[in-house]
Each structure stands twice: as C-alpha cells, then as structure tokens.
mmCIF file of all heavy atoms in Angstrom:
data_model
loop_
_atom_site.group_PDB
_atom_site.id
_atom_site.type_symbol
_atom_site.label_atom_id
_atom_site.label_comp_id
_atom_site.label_asym_id
_atom_site.label_seq_id
_atom_site.Cartn_x
_atom_site.Cartn_y
_atom_site.Cartn_z
ATOM 1 N N LEU A 1343 -83.350 115.493 76.075
ATOM 2 C CA LEU A 1343 -82.354 114.562 76.586
ATOM 3 C C LEU A 1343 -82.147 114.701 78.088
ATOM 4 O O LEU A 1343 -81.760 113.741 78.757
ATOM 5 C CB LEU A 1343 -81.020 114.770 75.864
ATOM 6 C CG LEU A 1343 -81.029 114.416 74.375
ATOM 7 C CD1 LEU A 1343 -79.711 114.802 73.731
ATOM 8 C CD2 LEU A 1343 -81.294 112.926 74.187
ATOM 9 N N MET A 1344 -82.390 115.880 78.635
ATOM 10 C CA MET A 1344 -82.275 116.058 80.080
ATOM 11 C C MET A 1344 -83.453 115.442 80.816
ATOM 12 O O MET A 1344 -83.311 114.989 81.953
ATOM 13 C CB MET A 1344 -82.156 117.548 80.420
ATOM 14 C CG MET A 1344 -80.778 118.132 80.159
ATOM 15 S SD MET A 1344 -80.638 119.848 80.726
ATOM 16 C CE MET A 1344 -80.816 120.723 79.182
ATOM 17 N N GLU A 1345 -84.625 115.443 80.199
ATOM 18 C CA GLU A 1345 -85.793 114.848 80.841
ATOM 19 C C GLU A 1345 -85.576 113.344 81.044
ATOM 20 O O GLU A 1345 -85.157 112.638 80.131
ATOM 21 C CB GLU A 1345 -87.044 115.078 79.988
ATOM 22 C CG GLU A 1345 -87.504 116.522 79.902
ATOM 23 C CD GLU A 1345 -88.167 117.019 81.181
ATOM 24 O OE1 GLU A 1345 -88.268 116.242 82.166
ATOM 25 O OE2 GLU A 1345 -88.592 118.187 81.198
ATOM 26 N N GLY A 1346 -85.927 112.869 82.225
ATOM 27 C CA GLY A 1346 -85.675 111.463 82.556
ATOM 28 C C GLY A 1346 -86.395 110.481 81.664
ATOM 29 O O GLY A 1346 -85.911 109.365 81.434
ATOM 30 N N ILE A 1347 -87.562 110.880 81.125
ATOM 31 C CA ILE A 1347 -88.321 109.968 80.281
ATOM 32 C C ILE A 1347 -87.529 109.539 79.050
ATOM 33 O O ILE A 1347 -87.695 108.425 78.548
ATOM 34 C CB ILE A 1347 -89.672 110.600 79.872
ATOM 35 C CG1 ILE A 1347 -90.576 109.565 79.201
ATOM 36 C CG2 ILE A 1347 -89.472 111.822 78.989
ATOM 37 C CD1 ILE A 1347 -91.979 110.067 78.919
ATOM 38 N N SER A 1348 -86.617 110.411 78.578
ATOM 39 C CA SER A 1348 -85.829 110.050 77.400
ATOM 40 C C SER A 1348 -84.908 108.877 77.703
ATOM 41 O O SER A 1348 -84.657 108.030 76.828
ATOM 42 C CB SER A 1348 -85.025 111.248 76.891
ATOM 43 O OG SER A 1348 -83.950 111.571 77.761
ATOM 44 N N HIS A 1349 -84.403 108.800 78.925
ATOM 45 C CA HIS A 1349 -83.555 107.665 79.310
ATOM 46 C C HIS A 1349 -84.370 106.375 79.279
ATOM 47 O O HIS A 1349 -83.940 105.356 78.733
ATOM 48 C CB HIS A 1349 -82.980 107.890 80.706
ATOM 49 C CG HIS A 1349 -82.068 109.069 80.817
ATOM 50 N ND1 HIS A 1349 -80.690 108.958 80.748
ATOM 51 C CD2 HIS A 1349 -82.312 110.375 81.000
ATOM 52 C CE1 HIS A 1349 -80.142 110.157 80.880
ATOM 53 N NE2 HIS A 1349 -81.109 111.029 81.038
ATOM 54 N N GLU A 1350 -85.565 106.422 79.881
ATOM 55 C CA GLU A 1350 -86.419 105.234 79.933
ATOM 56 C C GLU A 1350 -86.747 104.738 78.526
ATOM 57 O O GLU A 1350 -86.603 103.555 78.209
ATOM 58 C CB GLU A 1350 -87.714 105.554 80.675
ATOM 59 C CG GLU A 1350 -87.549 105.954 82.134
ATOM 60 C CD GLU A 1350 -88.900 106.255 82.786
ATOM 61 O OE1 GLU A 1350 -89.923 105.713 82.323
ATOM 62 O OE2 GLU A 1350 -88.933 107.031 83.758
ATOM 63 N N ALA A 1351 -87.213 105.652 77.681
ATOM 64 C CA ALA A 1351 -87.709 105.272 76.362
ATOM 65 C C ALA A 1351 -86.581 104.819 75.431
ATOM 66 O O ALA A 1351 -86.716 103.820 74.714
ATOM 67 C CB ALA A 1351 -88.466 106.433 75.732
ATOM 68 N N CYS A 1352 -85.479 105.563 75.435
ATOM 69 C CA CYS A 1352 -84.400 105.245 74.488
ATOM 70 C C CYS A 1352 -83.658 103.980 74.892
ATOM 71 O O CYS A 1352 -83.147 103.253 74.039
ATOM 72 C CB CYS A 1352 -83.459 106.435 74.362
ATOM 73 S SG CYS A 1352 -84.265 107.881 73.613
ATOM 74 N N SER A 1353 -83.617 103.695 76.175
ATOM 75 C CA SER A 1353 -83.062 102.424 76.637
ATOM 76 C C SER A 1353 -83.878 101.260 76.094
ATOM 77 O O SER A 1353 -83.332 100.285 75.567
ATOM 78 C CB SER A 1353 -83.046 102.402 78.174
ATOM 79 O OG SER A 1353 -82.804 101.100 78.665
ATOM 80 N N LEU A 1354 -85.199 101.353 76.199
ATOM 81 C CA LEU A 1354 -86.059 100.278 75.702
ATOM 82 C C LEU A 1354 -85.986 100.178 74.183
ATOM 83 O O LEU A 1354 -85.988 99.074 73.626
ATOM 84 C CB LEU A 1354 -87.506 100.526 76.151
ATOM 85 C CG LEU A 1354 -88.513 99.425 75.809
ATOM 86 C CD1 LEU A 1354 -88.112 98.094 76.443
ATOM 87 C CD2 LEU A 1354 -89.919 99.821 76.248
ATOM 88 N N ALA A 1355 -85.884 101.324 73.492
ATOM 89 C CA ALA A 1355 -85.785 101.314 72.030
ATOM 90 C C ALA A 1355 -84.561 100.539 71.563
ATOM 91 O O ALA A 1355 -84.612 99.796 70.575
ATOM 92 C CB ALA A 1355 -85.744 102.740 71.497
ATOM 93 N N GLY A 1356 -83.443 100.714 72.275
ATOM 94 C CA GLY A 1356 -82.245 99.970 71.924
ATOM 95 C C GLY A 1356 -82.420 98.480 72.157
ATOM 96 O O GLY A 1356 -82.018 97.652 71.333
ATOM 97 N N THR A 1357 -83.034 98.123 73.281
ATOM 98 C CA THR A 1357 -83.261 96.712 73.607
ATOM 99 C C THR A 1357 -84.145 96.040 72.567
ATOM 100 O O THR A 1357 -83.926 94.872 72.214
ATOM 101 C CB THR A 1357 -83.910 96.594 75.000
ATOM 102 O OG1 THR A 1357 -83.011 97.116 75.975
ATOM 103 C CG2 THR A 1357 -84.247 95.153 75.347
ATOM 104 N N LEU A 1358 -85.132 96.767 72.061
ATOM 105 C CA LEU A 1358 -86.063 96.194 71.087
ATOM 106 C C LEU A 1358 -85.551 96.261 69.650
ATOM 107 O O LEU A 1358 -86.218 95.790 68.735
ATOM 108 C CB LEU A 1358 -87.419 96.910 71.186
ATOM 109 C CG LEU A 1358 -88.191 96.675 72.484
ATOM 110 C CD1 LEU A 1358 -89.463 97.519 72.506
ATOM 111 C CD2 LEU A 1358 -88.523 95.205 72.681
ATOM 112 N N GLY A 1359 -84.380 96.866 69.450
ATOM 113 C CA GLY A 1359 -83.776 96.891 68.117
ATOM 114 C C GLY A 1359 -84.631 97.578 67.074
ATOM 115 O O GLY A 1359 -84.856 97.048 65.980
ATOM 116 N N LEU A 1360 -85.089 98.792 67.398
ATOM 117 C CA LEU A 1360 -86.002 99.510 66.495
ATOM 118 C C LEU A 1360 -85.224 100.159 65.348
ATOM 119 O O LEU A 1360 -84.945 101.358 65.336
ATOM 120 C CB LEU A 1360 -86.799 100.558 67.273
ATOM 121 C CG LEU A 1360 -87.639 100.017 68.436
ATOM 122 C CD1 LEU A 1360 -88.369 101.152 69.146
ATOM 123 C CD2 LEU A 1360 -88.623 98.958 67.954
ATOM 124 N N GLY A 1361 -84.903 99.375 64.350
ATOM 125 C CA GLY A 1361 -84.046 99.824 63.258
ATOM 126 C C GLY A 1361 -84.656 100.895 62.374
ATOM 127 O O GLY A 1361 -83.932 101.529 61.600
ATOM 128 N N LYS A 1362 -85.967 101.105 62.463
ATOM 129 C CA LYS A 1362 -86.605 102.135 61.636
ATOM 130 C C LYS A 1362 -86.926 103.395 62.432
ATOM 131 O O LYS A 1362 -87.741 104.221 61.992
ATOM 132 C CB LYS A 1362 -87.870 101.576 60.982
ATOM 133 C CG LYS A 1362 -87.551 100.575 59.871
ATOM 134 C CD LYS A 1362 -88.805 100.149 59.147
ATOM 135 C CE LYS A 1362 -88.466 99.229 57.984
ATOM 136 N NZ LYS A 1362 -89.693 98.755 57.304
ATOM 137 N N LEU A 1363 -86.274 103.550 63.568
ATOM 138 C CA LEU A 1363 -86.382 104.777 64.354
ATOM 139 C C LEU A 1363 -85.096 105.573 64.175
ATOM 140 O O LEU A 1363 -84.001 105.076 64.468
ATOM 141 C CB LEU A 1363 -86.594 104.443 65.834
ATOM 142 C CG LEU A 1363 -86.561 105.620 66.809
ATOM 143 C CD1 LEU A 1363 -87.692 106.608 66.532
ATOM 144 C CD2 LEU A 1363 -86.629 105.119 68.256
ATOM 145 N N ILE A 1364 -85.221 106.802 63.676
ATOM 146 C CA ILE A 1364 -84.050 107.655 63.429
ATOM 147 C C ILE A 1364 -84.285 108.993 64.123
ATOM 148 O O ILE A 1364 -85.249 109.699 63.824
ATOM 149 C CB ILE A 1364 -83.806 107.851 61.926
ATOM 150 C CG1 ILE A 1364 -83.582 106.488 61.247
ATOM 151 C CG2 ILE A 1364 -82.605 108.770 61.692
ATOM 152 C CD1 ILE A 1364 -83.422 106.571 59.732
ATOM 153 N N ALA A 1365 -83.382 109.329 65.061
ATOM 154 C CA ALA A 1365 -83.506 110.560 65.842
ATOM 155 C C ALA A 1365 -82.407 111.538 65.455
ATOM 156 O O ALA A 1365 -81.289 111.133 65.104
ATOM 157 C CB ALA A 1365 -83.425 110.245 67.336
ATOM 158 N N PHE A 1366 -82.733 112.823 65.526
ATOM 159 C CA PHE A 1366 -81.786 113.892 65.209
ATOM 160 C C PHE A 1366 -81.676 114.797 66.429
ATOM 161 O O PHE A 1366 -82.645 115.457 66.819
ATOM 162 C CB PHE A 1366 -82.272 114.724 64.017
ATOM 163 C CG PHE A 1366 -82.433 113.952 62.741
ATOM 164 C CD1 PHE A 1366 -83.547 113.148 62.532
ATOM 165 C CD2 PHE A 1366 -81.490 114.043 61.728
ATOM 166 C CE1 PHE A 1366 -83.722 112.440 61.354
ATOM 167 C CE2 PHE A 1366 -81.648 113.343 60.538
ATOM 168 C CZ PHE A 1366 -82.764 112.536 60.354
ATOM 169 N N TRP A 1367 -80.496 114.834 67.042
ATOM 170 C CA TRP A 1367 -80.268 115.680 68.201
ATOM 171 C C TRP A 1367 -79.753 117.040 67.746
ATOM 172 O O TRP A 1367 -78.721 117.142 67.096
ATOM 173 C CB TRP A 1367 -79.271 115.009 69.141
ATOM 174 C CG TRP A 1367 -78.743 115.888 70.238
ATOM 175 C CD1 TRP A 1367 -79.401 116.868 70.923
ATOM 176 C CD2 TRP A 1367 -77.412 115.844 70.789
ATOM 177 N NE1 TRP A 1367 -78.578 117.448 71.871
ATOM 178 C CE2 TRP A 1367 -77.359 116.836 71.805
ATOM 179 C CE3 TRP A 1367 -76.287 115.070 70.532
ATOM 180 C CZ2 TRP A 1367 -76.192 117.068 72.549
ATOM 181 C CZ3 TRP A 1367 -75.139 115.290 71.276
ATOM 182 C CH2 TRP A 1367 -75.103 116.285 72.281
ATOM 183 N N ASP A 1368 -80.493 118.079 68.098
ATOM 184 C CA ASP A 1368 -80.099 119.461 67.805
ATOM 185 C C ASP A 1368 -79.089 119.900 68.864
ATOM 186 O O ASP A 1368 -79.439 120.485 69.883
ATOM 187 C CB ASP A 1368 -81.343 120.353 67.828
ATOM 188 C CG ASP A 1368 -81.035 121.805 67.489
ATOM 189 O OD1 ASP A 1368 -80.030 122.046 66.800
ATOM 190 O OD2 ASP A 1368 -81.813 122.688 67.914
ATOM 191 N N ASP A 1369 -77.840 119.612 68.606
ATOM 192 C CA ASP A 1369 -76.761 119.877 69.566
ATOM 193 C C ASP A 1369 -76.274 121.310 69.398
ATOM 194 O O ASP A 1369 -75.261 121.579 68.759
ATOM 195 C CB ASP A 1369 -75.621 118.867 69.327
ATOM 196 C CG ASP A 1369 -74.445 119.078 70.260
ATOM 197 O OD1 ASP A 1369 -74.597 119.781 71.271
ATOM 198 O OD2 ASP A 1369 -73.353 118.532 69.967
ATOM 199 N N ASN A 1370 -77.035 122.255 69.982
ATOM 200 C CA ASN A 1370 -76.653 123.665 69.843
ATOM 201 C C ASN A 1370 -76.102 124.278 71.120
ATOM 202 O O ASN A 1370 -75.690 125.435 71.130
ATOM 203 C CB ASN A 1370 -77.837 124.494 69.317
ATOM 204 C CG ASN A 1370 -79.040 124.474 70.256
ATOM 205 O OD1 ASN A 1370 -78.901 124.515 71.470
ATOM 206 N ND2 ASN A 1370 -80.233 124.425 69.690
ATOM 207 N N GLY A 1371 -76.101 123.512 72.218
ATOM 208 C CA GLY A 1371 -75.470 123.966 73.451
ATOM 209 C C GLY A 1371 -76.188 125.077 74.189
ATOM 210 O O GLY A 1371 -75.626 125.671 75.109
ATOM 211 N N ILE A 1372 -77.443 125.376 73.793
ATOM 212 C CA ILE A 1372 -78.161 126.506 74.374
ATOM 213 C C ILE A 1372 -79.540 126.063 74.867
ATOM 214 O O ILE A 1372 -80.250 125.313 74.177
ATOM 215 C CB ILE A 1372 -78.344 127.640 73.345
ATOM 216 C CG1 ILE A 1372 -76.983 128.186 72.897
ATOM 217 C CG2 ILE A 1372 -79.217 128.755 73.892
ATOM 218 C CD1 ILE A 1372 -76.214 128.932 73.977
ATOM 219 N N SER A 1373 -79.919 126.520 76.045
ATOM 220 C CA SER A 1373 -81.308 126.409 76.489
ATOM 221 C C SER A 1373 -81.753 127.791 76.985
ATOM 222 O O SER A 1373 -81.007 128.758 76.866
ATOM 223 C CB SER A 1373 -81.468 125.334 77.572
ATOM 224 O OG SER A 1373 -80.804 125.686 78.758
ATOM 225 N N ILE A 1374 -82.943 127.878 77.531
ATOM 226 C CA ILE A 1374 -83.477 129.190 77.885
ATOM 227 C C ILE A 1374 -82.567 129.938 78.852
ATOM 228 O O ILE A 1374 -82.371 131.155 78.738
ATOM 229 C CB ILE A 1374 -84.891 129.047 78.473
ATOM 230 C CG1 ILE A 1374 -85.871 128.641 77.362
ATOM 231 C CG2 ILE A 1374 -85.365 130.371 79.095
ATOM 232 C CD1 ILE A 1374 -87.281 128.409 77.847
ATOM 233 N N ASP A 1375 -81.975 129.200 79.799
ATOM 234 C CA ASP A 1375 -81.142 129.852 80.812
ATOM 235 C C ASP A 1375 -79.756 130.228 80.318
ATOM 236 O O ASP A 1375 -79.021 130.929 81.012
ATOM 237 C CB ASP A 1375 -81.006 128.946 82.040
ATOM 238 C CG ASP A 1375 -82.234 128.991 82.936
ATOM 239 O OD1 ASP A 1375 -83.165 129.743 82.612
ATOM 240 O OD2 ASP A 1375 -82.260 128.262 83.950
ATOM 241 N N GLY A 1376 -79.369 129.757 79.139
ATOM 242 C CA GLY A 1376 -78.056 130.098 78.595
ATOM 243 C C GLY A 1376 -77.321 128.879 78.077
ATOM 244 O O GLY A 1376 -77.933 127.926 77.589
ATOM 245 N N GLU A 1377 -75.993 128.888 78.197
ATOM 246 C CA GLU A 1377 -75.178 127.780 77.694
ATOM 247 C C GLU A 1377 -75.324 126.577 78.623
ATOM 248 O O GLU A 1377 -75.098 126.680 79.833
ATOM 249 C CB GLU A 1377 -73.713 128.224 77.587
ATOM 250 C CG GLU A 1377 -73.505 129.348 76.582
ATOM 251 C CD GLU A 1377 -72.045 129.769 76.449
ATOM 252 O OE1 GLU A 1377 -71.181 129.073 77.021
ATOM 253 O OE2 GLU A 1377 -71.778 130.774 75.768
#
C-alpha cells in the first residue's frame, strides 16, 4: 500500500468496476523497521 504503484492500479480498478477482484489487507501495523 505504501508503494506508489498500488495507488495507480487500485484507482483504475475502481474506475473499471472490477467486481470479481477481492483484496485482503494484512493490517498488522509492522514493517521491517518497526511500527
């Protein structure tokens, strides 16, 4: 989600109404550097 490409792609996915695309965000609040 931090990578800019996710903004580009997910914006277009919404515009195209991709109803059979289902994403799961692992919201754990942790990356390699910490919280």
Side-chain angles (χ1 to χ4, degrees):
L1343 294 174
M1344 283 186 259
E1345 292 286 1
I1347 190 173
S1348 72
H1349 296 263
E1350 297 180 26
C1352 295
S1353 167
L1354 185 59
T1357 297
L1358 293 176
L1360 302 179
K1362 288 186 176 177
L1363 173 63
I1364 301 176
F1366 299 78
W1367 168 35
D1368 182 25
D1369 179 16
N1370 61 39
I1372 298 292
S1373 66
I1374 289 177
D1375 281 359
E1377 296 181 9

